[in-house]
């Protein structure tokens, strides 16, 4: 076969710069290996190779040159598609020449423009010459903003400054060839790339195809300004500069809000974004952008960092959306800012005196007054987003903001004082300006409006012209801009109702709970409670979701007539409040009051300085170039730091108010009263007399906690001991779950630290350590494997240190591990690790070591790339016999000399060491790691997934079933020998115990926690006898789900001693050791008992102020014992016996509590502690009766998170939806342990449903005289009454099981559907008055627990009932008639199927050939044939299934047995059995499946009701529904009736009627 001659081709590599490649290819390989070709005409290739006229290359060239364009398009594009495209890419046609070059488009955001075709013989060469900036055959077009980042250091800097988390979804706009994309994929969860240029899309897909990143990259081809953006956490982009402004505001209008955007802008545009008041570039763009976001300049980027280089420099800017957005109407804001920046050199007074401005304002004012509009904020995020986006509509042209120094023309001259027509109006306007103290300010940028607190806006904002106030509504246009917002009339109606109803409840004191004289019988009382929320902020929907479960349950029991106690208190114990207050104090000390937060110097960025004057090829710098560091002026601080002052500002607090929060006790007086307001607005049925706060600020509760702690200590449940605990070095105390910002539930992980002695002489860098015993300290969980050590692993570029442990010993490990050791009494200076010398992993490679138990006298330190420095000590022992990781890493070092050379590893450190068998694995033998790696075909230490799977198998089998082969414990089971070997190492001083957090833990003070060996007070949870009592209590509790029970059982299995003392924060002092405070999870385990007497002690004051006749000092331990644990009467007490006996009666009446509702995350601590404390202190008859746990709540199917803006406080939800609509949506969100979903659409739909229902009731009551007043008698009446009975019974069951979503369905949705069906069924006769009154009564009662305001309003205002709905009693109902329900379902299903059949008959059955029937041909007669009982072979099949069904197990006999029985039956003996069998088998399967769905009644030979009777009784309804004039109900068993079918008799044969399935025939 002819060979292709050598081709010399110039090509720009995508990643390696320019190069020359020589290709020698054969005929068979050339086509499949065609590289990316440069833009050269094919004729030039032939000129270089004149002898190759017969080659395939020239053959193809000829085809391309002379083939008709249309045909070529069909061949190269439509036929061959992508494969040919990849091989022939990219073919441009100019005249009669073809060249391999790229079609040209812009990056995302630009518009595609086709390049003009090159004329003349230059062809592709001309194109290439005109645009040399391309890679791999892809030319970049500067005119379309295609400037590709080529500086890898700059890319790394952008990634670093972006603060990307591993869980982030990243949006990239204009990814180009993917240089930045690759780095983003390395650090984030996934990348969504938006690209307009199809060439770039293809290149991007090709680059990542077949790599691990391909599944995490989603490419959207389209214009970013036109496409809908998906959810993302962070945007990182190098964008085409012509779309800067519209893209910025498109991003800021995106919902839900993202965390931040890090974007490359043109330098001038970027500086306008970050410009501050007083800067020359400060403009309307600055104002609008900084209104919506914090904007920080990150770094300047020179033009030489791009290919092709732009004409201007660039800058990277960080944009962090404000959350929440300021309370500003953005259309009005934009109108105001347009006027203020119209002439920036004018004072505001001059601007607002201009004729045109005053005329516009007055015109808009008059229109506003005529329409009686009141400008408001925005109704929802959608409307807000739309108006935010509009801010950027005209900001793209930066020149529009330049002040060219022009004076106002004649049309804009100031109003003459003599013109009195508008003088009054002008005076009002100027009065507002003076009120804001801004009339004399020139340049809006100098006034406070641009600090984005918007005080000027609040002065100027669009006030109605009443008295001396002015309205600037609609400044954005020549006419008033009418806002297209939603109508809130329905929502506002519900809010008005709720306000009125809450007044009724307050007047009637309906939620007051009083104990009765006699003990309650079962069901007579209900005491439910909720873990008190922490008071460092507002209550949010997460609180409301869990609380709603308790509220609905309590309301249900109250409605049934039970005596209900639902109290509520507020938790303030612990460190979060104190830590936040201290942060504010530090910020004021450092930055002033109010603080002016610091700016940071812009970091150096490596920017290649071009000394050659020319552009280098590829991604390589010209030899003469060097990196030059540049620094700019100070810029705003990065948004990465979140100051506490800013957090408080997000609550809407003023600077003056925030300063008060430096006192931690101010938090306790500020947030709890607000929470009470919100909960009252929510409609919580709480006895507020019993509310309280924790900490020593409340002396009564403080006394209670002190008694509880003393009680536990007396019982031996609290001890002082040295224990490993999670510890905050900054706070100087243990960090419990509620003290943590992250890492809740994390416990200490204990290791054995192997002391591997470094053999002298030491290398020069370690010479300072001479004379000391130096050890590499390796943390291991498998000390039993130390016999098989062959080497030690370190991370080559890891950072290590040599730390003093005592006067003689030095450990080499990471600084993180050294800090943990310092808090475990393993540092020469306690709690302060002392580093003698800093080292890298490379410094340690080759160190000879003597390691305990190792059979090799000397082993060496070797490099391993997968060593983690944030886990353990960064030093790892190597046991290749039993560790797949170690085996593969050692194998790689032995097999790859280049790998050894790279890290300076000598052969004698590796090659002599062989695997030492130490453990016999039952499945993988003596060298288990080697064998499993061979079986799983693991080829390299980089195959992480396979290695992790192999490690799991080997470790598990080796520990539980392995046998020791080495050492003094040979022959012993591994799980028995492990502890013995560990103890031996510790006794000989060859190892020490080391602990660290099993995962990273951050305290609320912001520091990373360690594990400390602390001497403090512990509660002895897990003690054997106490644990048995807790398990007994749990066994008797109602937990409402198996998943909850399993969670408690698991927690009881591992929970051990718990540190109950703290030295920092708020709370109650340990009574016997007042240096310490009671930890926040330890003072909240028994307080449910305190609720029963709180109202008598505190008299309704949550702080326990001095209003009570009972003094805190009178509450001795004897008093508490008498009240709560059956102690003797405290004779020494000064309290009156009547008071003591009354409090004891309250406790004995209400306790034990019936239900405690909580999120599932508290199972592992608080709820289990509650069980333990009750079993220790309380008698058994006072142990808790029930816990109900739920999952977390999402908003609109996304995680509720402040950082993403997907967040609602309870107050915001009530204001947005109303309380009842919020409660409605909470009930609909879900009931199980899985995460629930609060859907805004459901809340909005609830507003509509509730208000429409009120309107319907009002209409019915107004037209009451027109209703049918006779007793209910019709079929529809009976069905409707039965549906109400069913709803009452079903909803009662759902409420009792606390399945509130199901209760909402059965008590509201289903009941309304029954009402609507009844209204339809009644026809002209009308609905029955008695039934409608009952419906309104029943529905109101059933929905009352969920929507109490609505129900109370209907009860009192519409139905004119006495008393309160919340205590009205459960509705009475007869037993449901299930047969009638089935009959009605049969009727409705039959009507639906007949309607479909009629439509099909009238419109034609063939698709696409529908026709409108004429009036003459429309069917008017209906014949319904009914067969009420199975007969023939179907009857025989059903009889057999009835015999072969086991009702006890709900299963059928095997199919073979059923078939055998069928063969023995009469039909089985018939001659045509084979034909019948084909019909029987599907029928048998169908009936068996039906039994699973509906029950054994599916095997009945006839339905439990008469079909003919039901259809006959409802003939009028059927005729009305189907539009028939005449209807006959006929029995299929009647031969005469069958004759009525006439020509349609064949229908009866093809689809014969059967029980439950009538056959209908329609005639004209």
């Amino acid at each position: 076969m002819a060979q292709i001659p050598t081709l010399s081709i110039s090509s720009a590599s995508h990643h390696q710069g320019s190069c020359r490649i020589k290709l020698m290819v054969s005929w068979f390989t050339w086509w499949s290996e065609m590289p990316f070709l440069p833009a050269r005409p094919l004729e030039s290739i032939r000129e270089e190779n004149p002898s190759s006229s017969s080659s395939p290359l020239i053959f193809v060239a000829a085809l391309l040159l002379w083939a008709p364009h249309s045909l070529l398009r069909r061949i190269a594009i439509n036929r061959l598609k992508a494969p040919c495209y990849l091989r022939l890419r990219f073919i441009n046609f100019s005249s009669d020449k073809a060249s391999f070059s790229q079609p040209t488009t812009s990056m995302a955001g630009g518009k595609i423009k086709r390049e003009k075709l090159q004329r003349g013989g230059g062809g592709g060469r001309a194109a290439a010459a005109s645009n040399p900036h391309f890679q791999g055959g892809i030319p970049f077009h500067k005119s379309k903003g295609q400037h590709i980042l080529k500086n890898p250091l700059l890319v790394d800097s952008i990634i670093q400054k972006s603060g990307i988390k591993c869980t982030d979804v990243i949006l990239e706009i204009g990814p180009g060839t993917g240089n930045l994309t690759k780095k983003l994929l390395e650090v984030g969860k996934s990348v969504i790339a938006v690209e307009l240029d199809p060439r770039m899309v293809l290149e991007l897909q090709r680059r990542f195809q077949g790599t691990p990143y391909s599944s995490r990259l989603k490419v959207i081809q389209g214009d970013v300004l036109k496409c809908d953006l998906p959810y993302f956490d962070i945007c990182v982009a190098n964008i085409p500069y012509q779309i800067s402004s519209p893209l910025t505001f498109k991003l800021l209008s995106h919902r839900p809000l993202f965390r931040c955007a890090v974007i490359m802008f043109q330098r001038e545009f970027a500086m306008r974004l970050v410009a501050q008041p007083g800067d020359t570039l400060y403009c309307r763009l600055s104002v609008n952008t900084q209104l919506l976001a914090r904007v920080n300049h990150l770094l300047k980027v020179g033009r030489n960092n791009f290919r092709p280089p732009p004409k201007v420099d660039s800058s990277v800017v960080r944009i962090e959306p404000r959350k929440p957005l300021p309370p500003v109407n953005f259309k009005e804001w934009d109108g105001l800012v347009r006027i203020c920046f119209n002439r920036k050199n004018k004072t505001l007074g001059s601007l607002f005196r201009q004729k045109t401005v005053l005329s516009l304002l007055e015109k808009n004012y008059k229109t506003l007054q005529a329409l009686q509009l009141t400008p408001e904020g925005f109704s929802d995020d959608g409307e807000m987003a739309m108006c935010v986006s509009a801010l950027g509509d005209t900001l793209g042209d930066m020149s529009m903001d330049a002040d060219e120094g022009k004076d106002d023309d004649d049309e804009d001259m100031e109003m003459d004082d003599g013109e009195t027509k508008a003088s009054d109006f002008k005076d009002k306007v100027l009065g507002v300006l003076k009120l804001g103290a801004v009339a004399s300010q020139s340049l809006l940028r100098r006034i406070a409006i641009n600090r984005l607190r918007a005080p000027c806006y609040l002065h100027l904002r669009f006030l109605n012209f009443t008295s001396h106030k002015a309205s600037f509504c609609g400044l954005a246009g020549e006419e008033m801009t009418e806002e297209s917002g939603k109508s809130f009339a329905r929502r506002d109606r519900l809010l008005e109702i709720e306000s009125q109803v809450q007044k009724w409840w307050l007047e009637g004191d309906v939620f007051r709970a009083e104990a009765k004289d006699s003990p309650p019988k079962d069901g007579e009382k209900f005491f439910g409670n909720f873990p008190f929320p922490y008071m460092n902020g507002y209550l949010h929907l997460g609180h409301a979701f869990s609380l709603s479960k308790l509220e609905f349950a309590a309301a249900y029991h109250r409605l049934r007539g039970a005596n209900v106690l639902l109290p509520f208190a507020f938790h303030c114990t612990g460190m979060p409040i104190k830590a936040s207050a201290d942060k504010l104090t530090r910020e004021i000390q450092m930055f002033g009051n109010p603080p002016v937060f610091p700016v940071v110097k812009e970091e150096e960025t490596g920017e290649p300085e071009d000394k050659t004057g020319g552009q280098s090829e590829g991604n390589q710098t010209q030899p003469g170039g060097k990196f030059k560091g540049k620094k700019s002026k100070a810029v705003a601080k990065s948004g990465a730091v979140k100051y506490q002052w800013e957090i408080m500002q997000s609550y809407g607090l003023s600077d003056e108010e925030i300063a008060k929060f430096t006192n931690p006790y101010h938090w306790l007086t500020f947030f709890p009263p607000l929470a009470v307001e919100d909960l009252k607005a929510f409609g919580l049925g709480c006895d507020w007399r019993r509310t309280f706060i924790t900490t020593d600020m409340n002396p009564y509760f403080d006394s209670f906690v002190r008694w509880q702690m003393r009680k536990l200590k007396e019982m031996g449940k609290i001890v002082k001991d040295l224990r490993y605990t999670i510890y905050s070095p900054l706070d100087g105390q243990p960090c419990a779950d509620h003290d943590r910002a992250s890492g809740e539930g994390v416990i200490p992980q204990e290791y054995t630290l192997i002391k591997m002695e470094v053999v002298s002489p030491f290398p020069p860098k370690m010479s300072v350590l001479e004379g000391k015993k130096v050890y590499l300290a390796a943390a291991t969980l498998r000390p039993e494997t130390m016999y098989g050590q062959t080497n030690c692993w370190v991370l080559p570029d890891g950072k290590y240190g040599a730390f003093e442990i005592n006067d003689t010993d030095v450990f080499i490990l990471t600084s993180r591990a050294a800090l943990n050791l310092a808090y475990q009494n393993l540092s020469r200076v306690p709690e302060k690790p002392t580093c003698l010398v800093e080292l890298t992993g490379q410094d340690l490679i080759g160190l000879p070591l003597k390691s305990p138990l190792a059979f090799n006298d000397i082993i060496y330190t070797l490099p391993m790339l997968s060593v983690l420095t944030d886990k353990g000590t960064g030093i790892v022992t190597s046991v290749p016999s039993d560790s797949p990781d170690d085996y593969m890493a050692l194998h790689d070092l032995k097999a790859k000399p280049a790998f050894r050379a790279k890290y300076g590893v000598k052969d004698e450190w590796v090659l002599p060491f062989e695997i030492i068998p130490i453990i016999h694995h039952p499945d993988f033998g003596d060298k288990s790691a080697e064998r499993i790696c061979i079986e799983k075909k693991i080829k390299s230490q980089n195959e992480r997934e396979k290695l992790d799977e192999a490690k799991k198998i080997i470790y598990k089998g080796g520990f539980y079933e392995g046998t020791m082969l080495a050492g003094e414990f040979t022959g012993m089971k591994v799980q028995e020998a492990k502890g013995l070997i560990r103890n031996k190492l510790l006794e000989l001083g060859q190892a020490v115990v080391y602990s660290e957090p099993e995962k990273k833990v951050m305290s609320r003070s912001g520091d990373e926690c360690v594990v400390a060996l602390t001497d403090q007070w512990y509660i002895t949870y897990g003690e054997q006898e106490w644990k048995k009592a807790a398990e007994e209590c749990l066994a008797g509790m109602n937990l409402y789900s198996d998943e909850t029970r399993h969670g408690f059982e698991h927690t009881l299995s591992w929970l051990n001693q718990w540190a109950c003392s703290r030295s920092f924060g708020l709370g109650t002092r340990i009574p016997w050791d007042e240096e310490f405070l009671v930890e926040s999870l330890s003072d909240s385990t028994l307080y449910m008992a305190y609720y029963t007497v709180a109202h008598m002690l505190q008299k309704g004051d949550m702080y326990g102020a001095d209003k009570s006749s009972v003094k805190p000092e009178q509450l001795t331990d004897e008093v508490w014992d008498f009240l709560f644990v059956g102690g003797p009467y405290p004779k020494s007490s000064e309290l009156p016996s009547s008071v003591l006996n009354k409090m004891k009666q309250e406790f004995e009446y209400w306790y034990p509590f019936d239900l405690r509702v909580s999120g599932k995350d508290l199972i592992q601590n608080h709820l289990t502690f509650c069980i333990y404390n009750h079993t220790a202190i309380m008698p058994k008859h006072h142990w808790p009766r029930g816990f109900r746990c739920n999952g977390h709540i999402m908003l609109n199917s996304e995680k509720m998170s402040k950082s993403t803006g997907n967040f609602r406080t309870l107050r915001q939800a009530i204001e947005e939806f109303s309380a009842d609509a919020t409660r409605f949506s909470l009930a609909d969100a879900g009931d199980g342990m899985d995460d629930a979903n609060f859907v805004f659409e459901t809340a909005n739909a609830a507003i509509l449903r509730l208000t429409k229902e009120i309107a319907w009731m009002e209409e019915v009551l107004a037209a009451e005289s027109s209703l049918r007043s006779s007793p209910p008698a019709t079929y529809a009446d009976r069905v409707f009454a039965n549906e109400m009975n069913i709803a009452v019974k079903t909803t009662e069951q759902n409420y009792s099981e606390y399945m509130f979503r199901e209760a909402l369905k059965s008590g509201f949705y289903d009941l309304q559907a029954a009402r609507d069906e009844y209204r339809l069924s009644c026809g002209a006769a009308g609905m029955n008055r008695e039934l409608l009154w009952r419906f309104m009564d029943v529905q109101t009662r059933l929905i009352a627990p969920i929507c109490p305001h609505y129900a109370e309003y209907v009860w009192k205002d519409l139905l004119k009932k006495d008393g309160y709905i919340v205590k009205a009693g459960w509705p009475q109902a007869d037993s449901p008639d299930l047969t009638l329900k089935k009959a009605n379902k049969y009727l409705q299903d039959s009507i639906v199927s007949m309607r479909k059949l009629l439509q099909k008959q009238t419109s034609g059955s063939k698709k696409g050939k529908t026709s409108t029937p004429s009036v003459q041909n429309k069917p008017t007669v209906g014949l319904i044939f009914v067969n009420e009982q199975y007969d023939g072979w179907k009857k025989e099949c059903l009889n057999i299934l009835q015999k072969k069904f086991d009702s006890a197990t709900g299963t059928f006999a095997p199919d073979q047995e059923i078939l055998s029985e069928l063969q023995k039956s009469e039909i089985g003996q018939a001659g045509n059995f084979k034909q019948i069998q084909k019909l029987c088998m599907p029928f048998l399967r169908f009936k068996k499946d039906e039994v699973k769905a509906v029950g054994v009644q599916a095997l009945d030979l006839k339905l439990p009701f008469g079909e003919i009777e039901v259809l006959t009784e409802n003939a009028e309804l059927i005729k009305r529904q189907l539009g028939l004039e005449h209807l006959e109900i006929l029995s299929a068993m009647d031969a005469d009736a069958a004759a009525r079918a006439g020509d349609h008799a064949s229908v009866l044969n093809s689809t014969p009627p059967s029980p439950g399935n009538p056959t209908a025939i329609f005639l004209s």
Side-chain angles (χ1 to χ4, degrees), residues 671-840:
F671 284 113
L674 294 178
V676 172
E677 291 179 13
D678 293 346
L679 292 170
K680 287 181 177 179
F682 185 63
L684 184 68
C686 176
D687 184 353
W688 290 109
R689 299 175 304 150
R690 301 173 189 261
T691 190
F692 60 88
I693 67 163
T694 65
T695 75
D696 53 4
M697 189 177 185
N698 180 353
Y700 294 96
F701 186 74
D702 185 69
S703 173
F704 172 79
V705 175
R706 286 171 174 266
W707 163 77
Q708 177 188 349
M709 300 304 289
R710 281 193 292 263
K711 198 75 178 171
L712 291 172
K713 189 170 187 296
E714 289 171 7
M715 304 171 102
K717 306 296 185 185
I718 296 182
V719 298
K720 196 170 189 180
D721 200 358
L722 280 172
R723 289 288 185 274
Y724 289 105
T725 186
I726 307 294
Y727 189 90
S728 168
L730 181 62
D731 298 330
Q733 65 174 10
C735 188
D737 281 358
H738 282 190
D739 302 328
R740 302 175 188 175
S742 64
E744 186 171 350
V746 173
I747 60 177
Q749 172 69 65
E750 188 173 286
Y751 294 89
T752 303
L753 210 62
I754 305 298
K755 297 165 66 175
M756 310 170 76
E757 185 174 1
V758 181
V759 179
S760 61
F762 299 156
K765 193 165 185 179
M766 295 172 56
S767 59
V768 69
L769 306 178
E770 291 289 353
K772 294 182 178 290
K773 291 184 178 180
V774 181
Y775 301 93
L776 264 63
T780 182
L781 296 172
R782 306 186 68 203
E784 72 278 8
T785 64
M786 293 301 100
Y787 296 105
Q789 297 174 78
T790 59
N791 61 278
C792 169
W793 300 118
V794 294
L795 183 66
D797 57 354
K799 295 181 179 180
Y800 298 89
F803 295 89
E804 287 186 290
I805 302 302
N806 49 45
D807 291 338
T808 59
D809 292 356
V810 173
F811 282 3
I812 295 178
L813 33 61
T814 61
S815 59
R816 186 191 61 83
L819 183 63
N820 276 273
L821 286 172
Y823 280 89
Q824 297 168 27
N825 298 333
L826 288 171
S827 177
R828 190 174 67 82
V829 180
E831 300 184 0
K832 291 184 179 179
T834 307
C835 182
L836 299 178
V837 60
E838 294 182 352
L839 302 165
T840 66

Side-chain angles (χ1 to χ4, degrees), residues 713 716-723 1014-1020 1057-1061 1070 1072-1076:
K713 189 170 187 296
K717 306 296 185 185
I718 296 182
V719 298
K720 196 170 189 180
D721 200 358
L722 280 172
R723 289 288 185 274
T1014 58
D1015 183 18
Q1016 62 165 317
W1017 296 103
Y1018 292 87
I1019 300 179
T1020 58
Q1057 291 188 346
W1058 183 266
C1060 62
S1061 59
I1070 298 281
W1072 59 88
D1073 191 353
E1074 299 218 355
E1075 176 187 353
F1076 295 100

